[in-house]
């Protein structure tokens, strides 16, 4: 899956809650697009990302790959690449959940935050950022991968590695 577009599932101008957007894919999943689940007069919605692979949240160049003689594209990576800026922007209007699964492949469903995710605007109420790795997957927040809200822009963070490990190196 290569997602570089724009999806909007917003509440109405005068009433209604934000919607639900699910972005799914197997290995080599790339997210460079935006999602808006906001609601001017209601509760923000949720963006769910649920690839069947490890996930790297950070700054990523457009991935490359090769085409075979039949025109089938083979990417150069197996890890789902998610742009941290897209997550930060989505958290301004709604919740974001990233969950992974190991379906017998070579990856455990690990989630790594290599570049920071910040809710810098959006105001109250708080939005929620959940990281839920596969059954044996781990969550790693690197030293450059902080997850933060800011004054007046509360952010609930849920790191839940049921069978794996949560490692936070960020300040």
């Amino acid at each position: 899956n290569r997602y570089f577009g724009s999806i909007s599932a917003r509440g109405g101008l005068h009433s209604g809650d934000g919607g639900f957007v699910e972005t799914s894919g197997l290995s080599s999943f790339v997210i460079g697009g935006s999602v808006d689940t906001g609601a001017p007069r209601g509760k923000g919605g949720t963006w769910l990302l649920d690839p069947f692979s490890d996930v790297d949240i950070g700054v990523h160049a457009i991935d490359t790959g090769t085409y075979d003689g039949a025109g089938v594209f083979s990417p150069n990576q197996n890890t789902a690449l998610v742009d941290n800026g897209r997550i930060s922007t989505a958290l301004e209007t709604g919740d974001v959940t990233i969950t992974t699964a190991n379906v017998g492949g070579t990856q455990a469903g690990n989630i790594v935050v290599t570049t920071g995710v910040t809710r810098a605007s959006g105001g109250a109420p708080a939005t929620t950022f959940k990281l839920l790795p596969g059954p044996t997957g781990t969550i790693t927040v690197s030293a450059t991968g902080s997850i933060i809200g800011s004054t007046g822009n509360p952010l609930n963070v849920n790191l839940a590695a049921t069978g794996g490990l949560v490692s936070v190196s960020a300040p």
Side-chain angles (χ1 to χ4, degrees):
N1 183 3
R2 305 284 185 274
Y3 170 58
F4 294 98
S6 175
I7 298 174
S8 177
R10 295 181 49 81
L13 181 61
H14 301 290
S15 67
D17 293 337
F20 177 81
V21 174
E22 180 175 2
T23 309
S24 299
L26 295 173
S27 63
S28 71
F29 180 86
V30 177
I31 299 295
S34 62
V35 170
D36 183 350
T37 60
R41 301 272 191 247
K43 181 178 183 267
T46 300
W47 180 17
L48 170 66
L49 295 92
D50 60 349
F52 286 99
S53 65
D54 293 344
V55 173
D56 183 337
I57 302 167
V59 177
H60 300 291
I62 302 298
D63 66 323
T64 59
T66 58
Y67 288 92
D68 67 12
V72 176
F73 181 75
S74 295
N76 287 342
Q77 92 287 335
N78 291 321
T79 299
L81 303 177
V82 179
D83 183 81
N84 68 309
R86 304 301 179 171
I87 299 299
S88 295
T89 300
L91 286 168
E92 294 175 5
T93 60
D95 299 337
V96 176
T97 298
I98 299 176
T99 184
T100 65
N102 177 349
V103 290
T106 59
Q107 300 181 349
N110 299 318
I111 300 174
V112 178
V113 181
T114 57
T115 308
V117 172
T118 302
R119 184 174 189 229
S121 62
T127 57
T128 300
F129 184 43
K130 293 181 186 177
L131 299 179
L132 309 168
T136 60
T138 62
I139 300 170
T140 303
V141 182
S142 71
T144 57
S146 58
I147 302 171
I148 58 173
S150 60
T151 303
N153 304 296
L155 178 63
N156 298 318
V157 178
N158 181 344
L159 308 176
T162 56
L165 179 63
V166 175
S167 171
V168 179
S169 299

